[in-house]
Amino acid sequence: MAEKTSVSVAIVGSGGAGVLTTGAMLLEAACKAGWNGLMTRSVGPQIRGGEAAALVRLATQPVECLADNVDLLVGIDWVSAQRFEGEIALAPGSIVISDPSAGPPPPVLAPAGTRIIELPLAQLTKANPTWRANMIALGAAARLLGLDDEALRQIIKLHFEAKGAGVVNASVEATRAGGDSVAAVAGAFRLAPPQSANGKRWLITGNEATGLGAVRGGVRFAAAYPITPASEILEWLAPNLPKVGGTLVQAEDELASINMIIGASYGGVPSITATSGPGLSLMIEARGLATAAEIPIVVVDVMRGGPSTGIPTKSEQTDLNIAVYGLHGEAPHLVIAPQSVTDCLLSTQWATFLAEMLQAPAIVLSDQALGQTQVAVSRPADISFIGKRLCATEIAAPYKRYALGGSGVSPMAIPGTRGGQYTADGLTHTERGIPTSGAREHGAQLDKRCDKIERYDYGALWATLEGDGEIAVMTWGSLTGVAREAIARARADGIAVRLIAPRLLLPTRPVEMAAALHGVKRLLVVEQSHSAQFHRFLRAHYTLPQETSVLYRPGPLPIRPSEIYRQLTRGESL
Amino acid sequence: MSATAPLACKPGDYKSETKPIWCPGCGDYHVLMSLTRAMATLGLPPEQIAVISGIGCSSRIPAYTSCYGFHGVHGRSLPLAAGLKIVRPDLAVIVASGDGDGYSIGGNHFLHACRRNVDLTYLVMDNHIYGMTKGQPSPTTEPDFDTALTPGGSGVRPFNPLVIALASGANFVARAYSGNPLETANLIVEAVRHPGFSFIEILSPCVTYRPDQRAWKDLVHSAPVEATDDAARAARRLMTDDGFNLGVLFRGNRAPYRPATDAAPCDQIELEKGFEI
């Protein structure tokens, strides 16, 4: 059988059955053996007993998104697995591993004619009470992929060493037994040898990368209110910030968390909070305060299905409107959207840098598909964005905190600085920060806050621009990698397609966008929303080619590379 | 402070040139006087003090001082102040609020500020009315007080901020009356010096919407008993209190909030080790 360059595995089962652990261990073992890959989770809302799926893709090259289809579906059990209809679609030639005592897999996942390999999980665990069903399933999946037993053993040791040698040995035996049970199809999806990876290898999730990006950018204070799917950012920062001299505080609600970071940043310490849609909604008023009082803060929104509580555990790109427009009054601010799991690091670091440089709030618009996806990658390169706030040190009386002129960024006195005392204020104020309702001062300060953001040189990071030709795909956030994969297929067919993915959503960059779109005759906009928010945003701020079409749908069903590819290769009309 | 720095120790040194927007006769003028007197007594340089507020008449006070100030959004002064104090323990952080800002829209933060016990001083200028929005009932307004928004009265039981503060874990609870500025100043000095979250409810009449509060000067009196550090005893007293007992009512000894810190910070490159395979 030909070796594959990319294999996709879905492991499903009830929550608490160890599905996510199994997926993570499979990814780790493959990563240890040198392959690239990622794992995305799809879970129901229940803490225990709901349905869970670990979607693992392993590849010889780095990958940024799930593939269209699943090659290997492993059912630890099939309870509620029909809820993954559409999310898990089998590829031609796929194999399903199923315990006969758990009944047949749901037809919506495995239609008639699907090749099913029986794995007697219940029977094996009954005969060997120390074996866990998920470890047996892990061994079976690993054997089909041709994964080295030694890599698997090392990962088992890493995970279970603290539980004692008995657990490690039982798990090793269970995986071996699982592998032996599927000997008939061993190597059915054998991966080609990994390309040699240079340097250190990392396993990291988007939420962890976001936390690391904040620390690299200089953040030393975080305020936290838990929310799915953003909590992992805060839980990564909680033990790690103190290691570098910083602090995390749990707040009583999101209103408190954003006000805490405004207070800490006013005190001179770069600060962050992370939330999801409901929290971002609560933070709107204080984001306006940070704009008016010119306090740098970073707010990460890991988007999930909305509105209201929506689908907390699954992804959508529908907080764009609220991030861009969701403020009363005129409140220029920054909105930055990471484009991959590792780009969460760069984008958050850049957002911190920009917030500090421009004394303005920055929103990082991540999503569940990035935040809770774990990737195996080479260590991301260091970038040199360490924000340096313009502070007032030598102060001549009277100090003008909000002085006009220059770039619009005025020196900020940090409490403790003699002669710099001022009152930061959300009221319209004079250059000295004194409240006023005068039209002239109002206009002058609005201009100041707008100009400092509009005139800044954001350089090449404002967007990802790849390829050339008269056809372009415009997308953002987690769909960037999906579009890139679709474009690569189209290019392989001889169709030249550009990728345009703005990382900087606000402020808009009309000049740069016009240059990026120069020569584009047909444009395909791709986004994960019900009302085409991104397309409406683009139309409001940019001139798009006359022939523009939109591929859009709400979450949680991710847009696949093949859907974009089909649009690109459909012929004359997109 | 360096030896060459002149000590700012006159109340006038803590006043800014900004003219207050308050109505003539407002109790808040006296609170400002007490606050600047307290600052002078404390002898802290103005740049080492931050006065944080929300929205309302009383929340205008930061700009009337010569200290660092933050006039934030309605009801959120306490979390903003907590963020500041946690990263800047070197500063004296005083939070100013009113009964609408602090007890209604900011009520949840009040509970958690008491619980968290960050070393802050919280001054609530209570006039039992929303003054800036022209006379609507606040959480401390009497249920039969007639307003345009609640004709015939709100019918809602008033809130007892001192009991709430005590039950929630405030480390210092006192009541003051703006018309006794010297006594109020002394209470503020003690509150700032007391570790943890210190709360002073300051009865500060609104002469415009509550002219009846002119009678407060005859109703207030010193608390008949000494302050206690026994929360149960303080609670019993406060539950039967007539609302006009002045002075320190509870002086706790709970350790203030200390954020988790690492004794020997490492280089941030160390954090990356957790991701290596």
Side-chain angles (χ1 to χ4, degrees), chain A residues 111-271:
Chain A
T114 305
R115 185 174 181 195
I116 294 175
I117 302 292
E118 293 190 343
L119 180 65
L121 292 170
Q123 194 186 318
L124 287 168
T125 50
K126 199 172 173 195
N128 304 278
T130 58
W131 294 4
R132 290 282 313 273
N134 67 327
M135 289 299 105
I136 302 169
L138 173 65
R143 194 68 63 88
L144 262 79
L145 303 177
L147 268 183
D148 179 14
D149 273 1
E150 179 51 27
L152 206 54
R153 201 190 60 80
Q154 284 182 31
I155 295 303
I156 288 169
K157 199 166 164 228
L158 203 66
H159 272 256
F160 300 131
E161 202 161 29
K163 294 184 179 177
V167 175
V168 172
N169 292 337
S171 299
V172 170
E173 285 168 19
T175 51
R176 192 174 298 139
D180 293 345
S181 306
V182 296
V185 283
F189 302 114
R190 187 180 297 280
L191 271 166
Q195 302 197 331
S196 62
N198 295 324
K200 284 178 181 158
R201 302 272 294 151
W202 280 14
L203 264 174
I204 191 168
T205 67
N207 280 345
E208 291 166 338
T210 299
L212 182 62
V215 171
R216 277 195 184 174
V219 164
R220 290 298 179 269
F221 180 77
Y225 189 77
I227 190 167
T228 304
S231 296
E232 297 90 354
I233 297 173
L234 305 162
E235 287 172 347
W236 186 85
L237 287 168
N240 284 302
L241 266 179
K243 290 182 192 161
V244 291
T247 304
L248 177 138
V249 177
Q250 183 177 353
E252 55 270 31
D253 54 30
E254 288 93 343
L255 304 166
S257 55
I258 188 165
N259 278 283
M260 281 181 176
I261 66 169
I262 291 172
S265 179
Y266 168 75
V269 176
S271 299

Side-chain angles (χ1 to χ4, degrees), chain A residues 31 216 243 252 417-418, chain B residues 47 68 116 266 272 277:
Chain A
C31 189
R216 277 195 184 174
K243 290 182 192 161
E252 55 270 31
T417 310
R418 181 164 303 161
Chain B
E47 68 271 15
Y68 279 91
R116 199 174 280 120
C266 66
E272 298 181 1
I277 300 168

Side-chain angles (χ1 to χ4, degrees), chain A residues 8-13 22 26 70-78 81 90 94-106 109-110 114-121 124 133-145 177-189:
Chain A
S8 292
V9 183
I11 302 158
V12 305
T22 311
L26 186 65
V70 167
D71 302 298
L72 175 60
L73 171 61
V74 182
I76 296 175
D77 63 66
W78 300 112
L90 295 183
S94 61
I95 290 177
V96 176
I97 292 181
S98 180
D99 180 356
S101 70
L109 297 187
T114 305
R115 185 174 181 195
I116 294 175
I117 302 292
E118 293 190 343
L119 180 65
L121 292 170
L124 287 168
N134 67 327
M135 289 299 105
I136 302 169
L138 173 65
R143 194 68 63 88
L144 262 79
L145 303 177
D180 293 345
S181 306
V182 296
V185 283
F189 302 114

